Amino acid sequence: MKAKACIIIGLLVIIVALPMLLRRDSDTANPDAADDTLVILSPHNESIRHEFGEAFAADWKKTTGRSIYIDWRTPGGTSEIRMVLDAGFKAAQKTRRQGIGVDLFFGGGEPDFSGQARLDRFQRLNVFDNHPEWFAENGPIPETFTGERYWPADHVWVGTCLSRFGICYNPDVLKRLDIPSPTRWADLGDPAYAGTIALADPTKSGSVARAFELVVQGEMQRALAHPGANPKAARESGWADGLRLIQRMSANARYFTDSASKVPLDVGQGNAAAGMCIDFYGRSYATDLTTRDNKPRVVWLPSNAGTTLSADPIAVLKGAPHPEIAQAFVAFCLSPAGQTLWFGRPGTPGGPRKRALHRMPIRRDLYTPEILALTTIPDANPWHDKGNLTYQPELTGAAFGTLRQLVKIMCIDSHDELTDAWSAMREAGMPADALAVFSDVSRVNYATVGHGDARLSGKDKLATADHAAELGEWFRTNYRRAAAIARSTRP
Amino acid sequence: MKRGHAILVTTIVGLLFAVFFLYPAAMIVRQAFEGTGDDASLTFDFIAAVFRNPIYREGLWNTFALGILSTMVTMAIAFPLALVAHRHDFIGKKWLGALILAPMILPPFVGAVGVKQMLGVNGSLNALLMNLGLMESASPHDWLSHGRFVGIVLMNALHLYPILYLNIAAALAQLDPALEQAAENLGSPPWKRFLRVTLPLVMPGVFAGASIVFIAAFTELGVPLVFDYARVTPVQIFDGLKGLDNDPLPYALTTVLLVASITVFILSKWIVGRTRPGSAPRPKGRNSAMRLTGVKSAACAVLFLSVLVLSIIPHLGVMLLSVSGRWYGTVIPDELTLRHYSEALGNELVVPSIRNSLLYAGCATLAALVIGLAVAWVVVRSQLKSRGLLDSLVMLPLAVPGLVMAFGYLALSQEGMPFHFLIGSGGNPFLLLVVAYMFRRLPYVVRSAVAGLQQCNPVLEEAASSLGASPVRMLRRIAIPLIGANLAAGGILAFAFAMLEVSDSLILAQQSQHFPITKAIYALLSTLGNGTELAAALGVWAMLFLTVAVIGAVTLGGKRGGAFKL
């Protein structure tokens, strides 16, 4: 008995001692010894947090002589952060306090920051007054680009780096399925991809919702650019084509996920052939996942004429406990020293210490051949990329919320019926009559919902729930009918 | 139990439960009952809207079917194993009996990746089949997207059976072998002996385990997500909660799920619980398990080993992932490395997170044991009319989605809010997390303790009391030793699951010095490059620690109690 107890206790001691022996301490990690503290709420990954934390701490020490502890608050992705902000500010309002004990909100998408700004939760940023040259016309940080806003007129948030959604694919799987490499969203609607596409979930992230909006807008702009096109008719047909493309991509999809890393990971493992993926995860996995003969298992590329370059912002929260340090952090992020961290190769001057972040800085003046040579994306040229799409808010901006709901109703909630019909149609050689029923989007045409539909995204949640149930059933009935037609015509 | 004591215990537990569980849950779920007008009047429209939507109706049916089938398959795995272990001594029994509990310890986040590494299109299984010439490399089978429903049932059963096994093993340990021997002497054949004597006597343990397994399978989120199976209520709730639209429907769905869980619990308790409890005498002697040799002994070992191997497929995936330099289309990684361990375990978050988790989960388990025993005592030993209600109430925490509770606690612990006193100096969430973990895992302790008390004959306690023992002394000297095995089983489950608690840990532990292990795993997961492998390495560390701790508790505690045979 004693021997057994000794073995078990001995084993437990060894297991617990192991991390103690391997422990590495960081310069910035000791909250008790630090002179200053900065509290940052962020969905950024651990690598970004680590590099920016260490670099800012070093910069702070250099400029002020004081040590700093960065208290990163990471409750999850942007949806969890939104809920944390809501809970905090609601309680603050009730108890008439200023702020929620957090200094900065760092990372997310423009829709997340615009939403919080509308709720008046941000302070004006000093960097606009201290460094007006950074925001001057033709200065390093433009107000808008590709139709995307990089800072608002009231200067309460500012983008720190750029990102865009694109396509990642696994060359091995494409070879096995005998599919050519995709270059644009429309390629992901090819029935040959059935069951092998990994999609991001537009209902849980504003940035992904924007990516879906751009899929529709890409089709609308293509229709409008057609010589001699009637603008009204082109908008109508482009909208319908966009919805049908989302339908086909979704019919090929295995799932819709809110985890940014799941898509490139599944593609890299060969569980999915291709997917919709944000650039830095795509690039990171492309570098890290290789085959035995060192060929990449993930290839990432921007969808040709299918994506804009959106900003990943930062903002100082109202009632921030350390407003001066928070403003200094924002200025550091926009300074050349902070900006180089985003794309520098680890170990190069000004680059990250440990890991490449694979992201594109927002400052235009850093995209010089000399600097790019020291980065992990030497061929990056976002400012002159001919494949960029320019977002035209007047086309679909009013339907942003509606479109997201529509994807949910038409594709996510109805996914079982959608994929079943798709599979039946594939087996039957895509009969035209079945396809017509399958891709009927007449009830959600541009005239009806293209400028936003209160029945889908209005404030009356009960009415929207009932309409969603009814519309969803209409789509599912169509999919079931399409499946039945296809099965009855199968040779 | 004296009526006064029962009322006192019920009142205290009821109050604690109302304040620390119902209040935060209601804070969040009430959104489902607020009208859309300016007055926010009470409405049941959203509940009705759930039933009007065919997708949600189908989700509920699927969830119900998954719950029932998973419980049945879990029973089919756990009961024979527990019975074989109870009746026979066979080769390697001691180790296999303890190792069989390992599947319940799967680290969060990386478990799904582990499954995909093993069963994915380019996973180990397909690579093995291709190596053996049983599968064409040009057309690998997609195991996770075909037969998803059956896959979920099997995976549920394979990770939930330890709960049932522990409870049945504890019940069998309480069984007086004299009863079975008497039946045997009177000429009863084995199957009849099992159906007429063994089964009715261990029914409390079976019910204790099965009710938890059912609610766990009924509300399971992770396994359907691995199979990308979205048409089940827990996934629909999760998707809705994380949605951008502040939609009240997920809260209405949560309410429906809660009511359904409790209804099934009460119904099954009513059906199963009609066997007369508390009539079993104290075991009069050690059960003499039959020593098997040769083929029979090996067959028993093979049975245990097969279940074990099948159920630790995800664990094997995580373990191999944690040592893989590259693992793509091969049975095991083609590059093996230990660097993920040195990087993950060396991270500055890890050592504090281990200390924090032990503290949070340890204190929560102790508190759950005290409160759980008190609740069980009232439920089994008192005549209070409200005892059935109390018993059902304490099962609720199993059925509330983790995110709902976490945001309830978060909202109430803000400065100026009623639970702010639970946040210590410097934002330390110790008390808040202990409370959160404790209530969430209380059902495990209550079910085990109720089962133990139901099997024990109350005359022993009555004798102690009539001989002048105070209630505390009677508990310490008579009752707790008698149901020690059951309390150990409940405590082990509560501790292991509290150590791996996800939502509360992610949302409530805000500063890095207060992170528990699960949040440290989450932080490592988001490292660019080898985040999954780093998270797997820390996950394997947690698995190892918990496995040794659980095996230690079972083997050492079991011997001391003299009743917990594995």
mmCIF file of all heavy atoms in Angstrom, chain A residues 15 24 45-47 69 80 82 172 204 254 258 290 355 404-405 413 417 466, chain B residues 52 116 142 231 239 242-245 326 328 334 343 346 513 526 528-529 541:
data_model
loop_
_atom_site.group_PDB
_atom_site.id
_atom_site.type_symbol
_atom_site.label_atom_id
_atom_site.label_comp_id
_atom_site.label_asym_id
_atom_site.label_seq_id
_atom_site.Cartn_x
_atom_site.Cartn_y
_atom_site.Cartn_z
ATOM 1 N N ILE A 15 5.390 15.019 -12.593
ATOM 2 C CA ILE A 15 4.552 15.697 -13.596
ATOM 3 C C ILE A 15 4.452 17.195 -13.292
ATOM 4 O O ILE A 15 4.557 18.032 -14.187
ATOM 5 C CB ILE A 15 3.140 15.057 -13.641
ATOM 6 C CG1 ILE A 15 3.254 13.620 -14.141
ATOM 7 C CG2 ILE A 15 2.206 15.835 -14.541
ATOM 8 C CD1 ILE A 15 1.963 12.821 -14.046
ATOM 9 N N ARG A 24 9.928 29.592 -18.528
ATOM 10 C CA ARG A 24 10.659 30.774 -19.007
ATOM 11 C C ARG A 24 9.843 31.990 -18.612
ATOM 12 O O ARG A 24 8.649 32.046 -18.862
ATOM 13 C CB ARG A 24 10.751 30.786 -20.547
ATOM 14 C CG ARG A 24 11.469 29.648 -21.173
ATOM 15 C CD ARG A 24 11.472 29.862 -22.685
ATOM 16 N NE ARG A 24 10.142 30.118 -23.223
ATOM 17 C CZ ARG A 24 9.318 29.158 -23.638
ATOM 18 N NH1 ARG A 24 9.683 27.908 -23.601
ATOM 19 N NH2 ARG A 24 8.123 29.448 -24.113
ATOM 20 N N ASN A 45 -4.198 36.874 -31.909
ATOM 21 C CA ASN A 45 -3.610 35.605 -31.470
ATOM 22 C C ASN A 45 -2.413 35.841 -30.544
ATOM 23 O O ASN A 45 -1.897 36.951 -30.427
ATOM 24 C CB ASN A 45 -3.234 34.736 -32.675
ATOM 25 C CG ASN A 45 -2.231 35.417 -33.578
ATOM 26 O OD1 ASN A 45 -1.168 35.827 -33.123
ATOM 27 N ND2 ASN A 45 -2.573 35.546 -34.850
ATOM 28 N N GLU A 46 -2.000 34.753 -29.901
ATOM 29 C CA GLU A 46 -0.940 34.810 -28.900
ATOM 30 C C GLU A 46 0.355 35.412 -29.487
ATOM 31 O O GLU A 46 1.053 36.178 -28.824
ATOM 32 C CB GLU A 46 -0.703 33.391 -28.365
ATOM 33 C CG GLU A 46 0.579 33.116 -27.618
ATOM 34 C CD GLU A 46 0.697 33.880 -26.315
ATOM 35 O OE1 GLU A 46 -0.325 34.371 -25.808
ATOM 36 O OE2 GLU A 46 1.842 34.006 -25.821
ATOM 37 N N SER A 47 0.654 35.087 -30.750
ATOM 38 C CA SER A 47 1.900 35.568 -31.342
ATOM 39 C C SER A 47 1.874 37.093 -31.456
ATOM 40 O O SER A 47 2.861 37.762 -31.135
ATOM 41 C CB SER A 47 2.100 34.947 -32.721
ATOM 42 O OG SER A 47 1.993 33.554 -32.632
ATOM 43 N N TYR A 69 3.546 46.390 -17.345
ATOM 44 C CA TYR A 69 2.910 45.062 -17.435
ATOM 45 C C TYR A 69 1.689 45.206 -18.330
ATOM 46 O O TYR A 69 0.834 46.055 -18.091
ATOM 47 C CB TYR A 69 2.480 44.600 -16.037
ATOM 48 C CG TYR A 69 1.503 43.448 -16.054
ATOM 49 C CD1 TYR A 69 1.860 42.227 -16.616
ATOM 50 C CD2 TYR A 69 0.223 43.586 -15.521
ATOM 51 C CE1 TYR A 69 0.962 41.175 -16.637
ATOM 52 C CE2 TYR A 69 -0.675 42.535 -15.540
ATOM 53 C CZ TYR A 69 -0.307 41.328 -16.108
ATOM 54 O OH TYR A 69 -1.193 40.290 -16.132
ATOM 55 N N GLU A 80 -17.354 37.065 -28.365
ATOM 56 C CA GLU A 80 -17.215 37.077 -26.899
ATOM 57 C C GLU A 80 -16.831 38.477 -26.416
ATOM 58 O O GLU A 80 -17.327 38.952 -25.393
ATOM 59 C CB GLU A 80 -16.165 36.077 -26.437
ATOM 60 C CG GLU A 80 -16.624 34.628 -26.420
ATOM 61 C CD GLU A 80 -16.472 33.970 -27.772
ATOM 62 O OE1 GLU A 80 -16.033 34.658 -28.721
ATOM 63 O OE2 GLU A 80 -16.804 32.779 -27.911
ATOM 64 N N ARG A 82 -17.569 41.304 -27.801
ATOM 65 C CA ARG A 82 -18.774 42.153 -27.854
ATOM 66 C C ARG A 82 -19.628 41.929 -26.608
ATOM 67 O O ARG A 82 -20.111 42.876 -25.982
ATOM 68 C CB ARG A 82 -19.564 41.812 -29.126
ATOM 69 C CG ARG A 82 -20.813 42.633 -29.348
ATOM 70 C CD ARG A 82 -21.478 42.262 -30.667
ATOM 71 N NE ARG A 82 -21.662 40.837 -30.835
ATOM 72 C CZ ARG A 82 -22.675 40.132 -30.339
ATOM 73 N NH1 ARG A 82 -23.604 40.737 -29.624
ATOM 74 N NH2 ARG A 82 -22.768 38.833 -30.547
ATOM 75 N N ASP A 172 -2.520 18.845 -53.041
ATOM 76 C CA ASP A 172 -2.645 17.371 -53.116
ATOM 77 C C ASP A 172 -4.090 16.952 -53.324
ATOM 78 O O ASP A 172 -4.388 16.068 -54.127
ATOM 79 C CB ASP A 172 -2.187 16.722 -51.796
ATOM 80 C CG ASP A 172 -0.695 16.809 -51.637
ATOM 81 O OD1 ASP A 172 -0.026 17.150 -52.633
ATOM 82 O OD2 ASP A 172 -0.207 16.554 -50.518
ATOM 83 N N LYS A 204 -21.341 35.172 -37.255
ATOM 84 C CA LYS A 204 -20.641 35.402 -35.990
ATOM 85 C C LYS A 204 -19.546 36.431 -36.082
ATOM 86 O O LYS A 204 -18.932 36.787 -35.077
ATOM 87 C CB LYS A 204 -20.059 34.084 -35.488
ATOM 88 C CG LYS A 204 -21.115 33.019 -35.258
ATOM 89 C CD LYS A 204 -20.552 31.868 -34.467
ATOM 90 C CE LYS A 204 -21.519 30.712 -34.442
ATOM 91 N NZ LYS A 204 -21.165 29.658 -35.357
ATOM 92 N N ARG A 254 -18.419 21.809 -46.119
ATOM 93 C CA ARG A 254 -18.533 20.823 -45.022
ATOM 94 C C ARG A 254 -19.159 21.495 -43.813
ATOM 95 O O ARG A 254 -19.895 20.890 -43.059
ATOM 96 C CB ARG A 254 -17.144 20.349 -44.598
ATOM 97 C CG ARG A 254 -16.397 19.570 -45.617
ATOM 98 C CD ARG A 254 -15.013 19.262 -45.077
ATOM 99 N NE ARG A 254 -15.036 18.252 -44.043
ATOM 100 C CZ ARG A 254 -14.961 16.956 -44.256
ATOM 101 N NH1 ARG A 254 -14.857 16.515 -45.488
ATOM 102 N NH2 ARG A 254 -14.982 16.097 -43.269
ATOM 103 N N ASP A 258 -16.567 29.651 -36.975
ATOM 104 C CA ASP A 258 -16.149 30.971 -36.500
ATOM 105 C C ASP A 258 -14.701 30.936 -36.023
ATOM 106 O O ASP A 258 -14.212 31.906 -35.485
ATOM 107 C CB ASP A 258 -17.064 31.448 -35.364
ATOM 108 C CG ASP A 258 -16.966 30.566 -34.146
ATOM 109 O OD1 ASP A 258 -16.695 29.372 -34.311
ATOM 110 O OD2 ASP A 258 -17.164 31.075 -33.027
ATOM 111 N N THR A 290 4.022 21.597 -44.502
ATOM 112 C CA THR A 290 4.627 21.140 -45.753
ATOM 113 C C THR A 290 4.506 19.622 -45.860
ATOM 114 O O THR A 290 4.302 18.931 -44.870
ATOM 115 C CB THR A 290 6.122 21.503 -45.801
ATOM 116 O OG1 THR A 290 6.740 20.988 -44.624
ATOM 117 C CG2 THR A 290 6.332 23.001 -45.894
ATOM 118 N N ARG A 355 8.276 35.087 -33.658
ATOM 119 C CA ARG A 355 7.485 34.495 -34.726
ATOM 120 C C ARG A 355 7.033 35.523 -35.750
ATOM 121 O O ARG A 355 6.687 36.646 -35.376
ATOM 122 C CB ARG A 355 6.223 33.863 -34.149
ATOM 123 C CG ARG A 355 6.346 32.417 -33.907
ATOM 124 C CD ARG A 355 5.088 31.927 -33.226
ATOM 125 N NE ARG A 355 5.442 31.068 -32.122
ATOM 126 C CZ ARG A 355 5.755 29.798 -32.242
ATOM 127 N NH1 ARG A 355 5.744 29.234 -33.422
ATOM 128 N NH2 ARG A 355 6.063 29.074 -31.190
ATOM 129 N N ARG A 404 -26.562 38.843 -44.279
ATOM 130 C CA ARG A 404 -26.032 37.880 -43.309
ATOM 131 C C ARG A 404 -27.147 36.901 -42.880
ATOM 132 O O ARG A 404 -26.954 35.698 -42.825
ATOM 133 C CB ARG A 404 -25.532 38.690 -42.111
ATOM 134 C CG ARG A 404 -24.758 37.938 -41.113
ATOM 135 C CD ARG A 404 -24.170 38.899 -40.106
ATOM 136 N NE ARG A 404 -25.176 39.509 -39.259
ATOM 137 C CZ ARG A 404 -25.150 40.759 -38.831
ATOM 138 N NH1 ARG A 404 -24.182 41.567 -39.212
ATOM 139 N NH2 ARG A 404 -26.085 41.219 -38.032
ATOM 140 N N GLN A 405 -28.324 37.480 -42.610
ATOM 141 C CA GLN A 405 -29.476 36.651 -42.230
ATOM 142 C C GLN A 405 -29.866 35.709 -43.353
ATOM 143 O O GLN A 405 -30.232 34.558 -43.129
ATOM 144 C CB GLN A 405 -30.679 37.546 -41.895
ATOM 145 C CG GLN A 405 -30.672 38.105 -40.501
ATOM 146 C CD GLN A 405 -30.612 37.005 -39.450
ATOM 147 O OE1 GLN A 405 -31.270 35.981 -39.581
ATOM 148 N NE2 GLN A 405 -29.809 37.209 -38.433
ATOM 149 N N ASP A 413 -28.834 27.278 -41.984
ATOM 150 C CA ASP A 413 -29.945 26.544 -41.363
ATOM 151 C C ASP A 413 -30.448 25.418 -42.266
ATOM 152 O O ASP A 413 -30.961 24.409 -41.789
ATOM 153 C CB ASP A 413 -31.120 27.492 -41.056
ATOM 154 C CG ASP A 413 -30.820 28.396 -39.869
ATOM 155 O OD1 ASP A 413 -29.794 28.147 -39.197
ATOM 156 O OD2 ASP A 413 -31.586 29.346 -39.627
ATOM 157 N N GLU A 417 -30.545 19.989 -46.318
ATOM 158 C CA GLU A 417 -31.356 19.875 -47.532
ATOM 159 C C GLU A 417 -30.569 20.378 -48.748
ATOM 160 O O GLU A 417 -30.668 19.823 -49.840
ATOM 161 C CB GLU A 417 -32.658 20.671 -47.399
ATOM 162 C CG GLU A 417 -33.656 20.080 -46.405
ATOM 163 C CD GLU A 417 -33.319 20.351 -44.945
ATOM 164 O OE1 GLU A 417 -32.361 21.124 -44.686
ATOM 165 O OE2 GLU A 417 -33.986 19.789 -44.060
ATOM 166 N N ASP A 466 -40.080 34.658 -37.023
ATOM 167 C CA ASP A 466 -41.147 33.982 -37.767
ATOM 168 C C ASP A 466 -40.909 34.054 -39.268
ATOM 169 O O ASP A 466 -41.128 33.082 -39.988
ATOM 170 C CB ASP A 466 -42.513 34.592 -37.403
ATOM 171 C CG ASP A 466 -43.005 34.068 -36.065
ATOM 172 O OD1 ASP A 466 -42.565 32.960 -35.676
ATOM 173 O OD2 ASP A 466 -43.799 34.759 -35.392
ATOM 174 N N ARG B 52 -42.460 26.832 -33.520
ATOM 175 C CA ARG B 52 -43.001 27.091 -34.862
ATOM 176 C C ARG B 52 -41.945 26.844 -35.943
ATOM 177 O O ARG B 52 -42.278 26.662 -37.092
ATOM 178 C CB ARG B 52 -43.490 28.539 -34.955
ATOM 179 C CG ARG B 52 -44.871 28.764 -34.373
ATOM 180 C CD ARG B 52 -45.503 30.044 -34.912
ATOM 181 N NE ARG B 52 -44.747 31.240 -34.566
ATOM 182 C CZ ARG B 52 -44.920 31.936 -33.444
ATOM 183 N NH1 ARG B 52 -45.806 31.540 -32.557
ATOM 184 N NH2 ARG B 52 -44.214 33.018 -33.202
ATOM 185 N N LYS B 116 -9.702 14.338 -35.701
ATOM 186 C CA LYS B 116 -9.515 14.509 -37.141
ATOM 187 C C LYS B 116 -8.186 13.928 -37.612
ATOM 188 O O LYS B 116 -8.086 13.413 -38.719
ATOM 189 C CB LYS B 116 -9.599 15.992 -37.505
ATOM 190 C CG LYS B 116 -11.027 16.481 -37.469
ATOM 191 C CD LYS B 116 -11.154 17.815 -38.110
ATOM 192 C CE LYS B 116 -12.627 18.181 -38.217
ATOM 193 N NZ LYS B 116 -12.818 19.507 -38.761
ATOM 194 N N ASP B 142 -14.289 9.328 -46.176
ATOM 195 C CA ASP B 142 -14.452 10.471 -45.279
ATOM 196 C C ASP B 142 -15.305 10.022 -44.094
ATOM 197 O O ASP B 142 -16.525 10.144 -44.104
ATOM 198 C CB ASP B 142 -15.132 11.612 -46.063
ATOM 199 C CG ASP B 142 -15.073 12.929 -45.329
ATOM 200 O OD1 ASP B 142 -14.751 12.918 -44.120
ATOM 201 O OD2 ASP B 142 -15.336 13.967 -45.952
ATOM 202 N N ARG B 231 -27.648 20.358 -36.774
ATOM 203 C CA ARG B 231 -29.079 20.363 -36.474
ATOM 204 C C ARG B 231 -29.386 19.643 -35.158
ATOM 205 O O ARG B 231 -30.153 18.689 -35.104
ATOM 206 C CB ARG B 231 -29.885 19.796 -37.641
ATOM 207 C CG ARG B 231 -31.253 20.431 -37.700
ATOM 208 C CD ARG B 231 -31.947 20.191 -39.007
ATOM 209 N NE ARG B 231 -31.467 21.061 -40.074
ATOM 210 C CZ ARG B 231 -31.927 21.006 -41.307
ATOM 211 N NH1 ARG B 231 -32.840 20.126 -41.627
ATOM 212 N NH2 ARG B 231 -31.451 21.816 -42.231
ATOM 213 N N ASP B 239 -24.524 28.492 -31.703
ATOM 214 C CA ASP B 239 -24.438 29.367 -32.869
ATOM 215 C C ASP B 239 -25.209 30.661 -32.636
ATOM 216 O O ASP B 239 -24.758 31.740 -33.001
ATOM 217 C CB ASP B 239 -24.999 28.654 -34.111
ATOM 218 C CG ASP B 239 -23.998 27.642 -34.663
ATOM 219 O OD1 ASP B 239 -22.808 27.759 -34.329
ATOM 220 O OD2 ASP B 239 -24.414 26.743 -35.409
ATOM 221 N N LYS B 242 -23.513 33.109 -30.125
ATOM 222 C CA LYS B 242 -22.343 33.803 -30.655
ATOM 223 C C LYS B 242 -22.690 34.692 -31.844
ATOM 224 O O LYS B 242 -21.836 35.391 -32.365
ATOM 225 C CB LYS B 242 -21.291 32.774 -31.071
ATOM 226 C CG LYS B 242 -20.714 32.022 -29.865
ATOM 227 C CD LYS B 242 -19.520 31.197 -30.237
ATOM 228 C CE LYS B 242 -18.280 32.025 -30.202
ATOM 229 N NZ LYS B 242 -17.069 31.288 -30.505
ATOM 230 N N GLY B 243 -23.944 34.644 -32.272
ATOM 231 C CA GLY B 243 -24.354 35.431 -33.423
ATOM 232 C C GLY B 243 -24.299 36.932 -33.145
ATOM 233 O O GLY B 243 -24.279 37.364 -31.997
ATOM 234 N N LEU B 244 -24.290 37.697 -34.224
ATOM 235 C CA LEU B 244 -24.126 39.144 -34.092
ATOM 236 C C LEU B 244 -25.433 39.855 -33.780
ATOM 237 O O LEU B 244 -25.446 41.058 -33.554
ATOM 238 C CB LEU B 244 -23.574 39.712 -35.410
ATOM 239 C CG LEU B 244 -22.158 39.283 -35.797
ATOM 240 C CD1 LEU B 244 -21.899 39.624 -37.260
ATOM 241 C CD2 LEU B 244 -21.139 39.974 -34.915
ATOM 242 N N ASP B 245 -26.554 39.115 -33.780
ATOM 243 C CA ASP B 245 -27.841 39.811 -33.812
ATOM 244 C C ASP B 245 -28.542 39.999 -32.471
ATOM 245 O O ASP B 245 -29.686 40.421 -32.452
ATOM 246 C CB ASP B 245 -28.779 39.071 -34.766
ATOM 247 C CG ASP B 245 -28.263 39.173 -36.178
ATOM 248 O OD1 ASP B 245 -28.150 40.298 -36.666
ATOM 249 O OD2 ASP B 245 -27.940 38.133 -36.774
ATOM 250 N N ARG B 326 5.782 16.735 -38.222
ATOM 251 C CA ARG B 326 4.885 16.749 -39.377
ATOM 252 C C ARG B 326 4.069 15.466 -39.335
ATOM 253 O O ARG B 326 4.590 14.384 -39.089
ATOM 254 C CB ARG B 326 5.667 16.821 -40.686
ATOM 255 C CG ARG B 326 4.734 16.851 -41.892
ATOM 256 C CD ARG B 326 5.444 17.017 -43.219
ATOM 257 N NE ARG B 326 6.639 16.229 -43.286
ATOM 258 C CZ ARG B 326 7.833 16.724 -43.604
ATOM 259 N NH1 ARG B 326 7.973 17.981 -43.893
ATOM 260 N NH2 ARG B 326 8.877 15.937 -43.640
ATOM 261 N N TYR B 328 1.070 13.987 -41.729
ATOM 262 C CA TYR B 328 0.199 14.242 -42.881
ATOM 263 C C TYR B 328 0.121 12.967 -43.725
ATOM 264 O O TYR B 328 1.102 12.586 -44.363
ATOM 265 C CB TYR B 328 0.795 15.395 -43.693
ATOM 266 C CG TYR B 328 0.032 15.779 -44.931
ATOM 267 C CD1 TYR B 328 -1.281 16.208 -44.863
ATOM 268 C CD2 TYR B 328 0.644 15.755 -46.185
ATOM 269 C CE1 TYR B 328 -1.971 16.582 -46.005
ATOM 270 C CE2 TYR B 328 -0.029 16.133 -47.333
ATOM 271 C CZ TYR B 328 -1.341 16.543 -47.238
ATOM 272 O OH TYR B 328 -2.016 16.925 -48.371
ATOM 273 N N ASP B 334 5.477 11.516 -39.246
ATOM 274 C CA ASP B 334 6.735 11.091 -39.860
ATOM 275 C C ASP B 334 7.925 11.883 -39.329
ATOM 276 O O ASP B 334 9.061 11.600 -39.656
ATOM 277 C CB ASP B 334 6.661 11.119 -41.397
ATOM 278 C CG ASP B 334 6.262 12.462 -41.939
ATOM 279 O OD1 ASP B 334 5.907 13.328 -41.128
ATOM 280 O OD2 ASP B 334 6.282 12.640 -43.168
ATOM 281 N N GLU B 343 8.456 24.100 -25.332
ATOM 282 C CA GLU B 343 7.900 25.438 -25.580
ATOM 283 C C GLU B 343 6.603 25.665 -24.786
ATOM 284 O O GLU B 343 6.422 26.717 -24.166
ATOM 285 C CB GLU B 343 7.651 25.628 -27.075
ATOM 286 C CG GLU B 343 7.366 27.081 -27.422
ATOM 287 C CD GLU B 343 7.170 27.313 -28.909
ATOM 288 O OE1 GLU B 343 7.555 26.463 -29.717
ATOM 289 O OE2 GLU B 343 6.605 28.373 -29.243
ATOM 290 N N GLY B 346 7.126 25.470 -20.935
ATOM 291 C CA GLY B 346 7.998 26.555 -20.489
ATOM 292 C C GLY B 346 7.313 27.913 -20.533
ATOM 293 O O GLY B 346 7.836 28.906 -20.010
ATOM 294 N N GLN B 513 -2.447 36.096 -14.796
ATOM 295 C CA GLN B 513 -1.971 35.437 -13.569
ATOM 296 C C GLN B 513 -3.066 34.613 -12.894
ATOM 297 O O GLN B 513 -2.784 33.851 -11.985
ATOM 298 C CB GLN B 513 -1.349 36.439 -12.577
ATOM 299 C CG GLN B 513 -2.298 37.415 -11.938
ATOM 300 C CD GLN B 513 -2.366 38.725 -12.705
ATOM 301 O OE1 GLN B 513 -2.273 38.749 -13.931
ATOM 302 N NE2 GLN B 513 -2.553 39.825 -12.011
ATOM 303 N N SER B 526 -3.687 29.656 -29.923
ATOM 304 C CA SER B 526 -3.713 30.731 -30.922
ATOM 305 C C SER B 526 -2.315 31.194 -31.316
ATOM 306 O O SER B 526 -2.171 32.213 -31.976
ATOM 307 C CB SER B 526 -4.542 31.905 -30.407
ATOM 308 O OG SER B 526 -3.789 32.649 -29.477
ATOM 309 N N LEU B 528 0.688 31.380 -33.667
ATOM 310 C CA LEU B 528 0.813 31.100 -35.099
ATOM 311 C C LEU B 528 1.870 30.029 -35.310
ATOM 312 O O LEU B 528 2.872 29.991 -34.612
ATOM 313 C CB LEU B 528 1.220 32.372 -35.849
ATOM 314 C CG LEU B 528 0.115 33.378 -36.143
ATOM 315 C CD1 LEU B 528 0.691 34.601 -36.826
ATOM 316 C CD2 LEU B 528 -0.983 32.766 -37.016
ATOM 317 N N GLY B 529 1.636 29.166 -36.279
ATOM 318 C CA GLY B 529 2.623 28.137 -36.597
ATOM 319 C C GLY B 529 2.304 26.821 -35.945
ATOM 320 O O GLY B 529 1.669 25.970 -36.542
ATOM 321 N N TRP B 541 -0.235 17.038 -20.971
ATOM 322 C CA TRP B 541 0.243 17.194 -19.583
ATOM 323 C C TRP B 541 -0.964 17.102 -18.628
ATOM 324 O O TRP B 541 -0.917 16.383 -17.630
ATOM 325 C CB TRP B 541 0.962 18.544 -19.404
ATOM 326 C CG TRP B 541 1.501 18.689 -18.014
ATOM 327 C CD1 TRP B 541 2.740 18.356 -17.574
ATOM 328 C CD2 TRP B 541 0.768 19.153 -16.865
ATOM 329 N NE1 TRP B 541 2.842 18.571 -16.228
ATOM 330 C CE2 TRP B 541 1.647 19.059 -15.760
ATOM 331 C CE3 TRP B 541 -0.515 19.608 -16.657
ATOM 332 C CZ2 TRP B 541 1.274 19.436 -14.469
ATOM 333 C CZ3 TRP B 541 -0.904 19.964 -15.369
ATOM 334 C CH2 TRP B 541 -0.016 19.879 -14.294
#
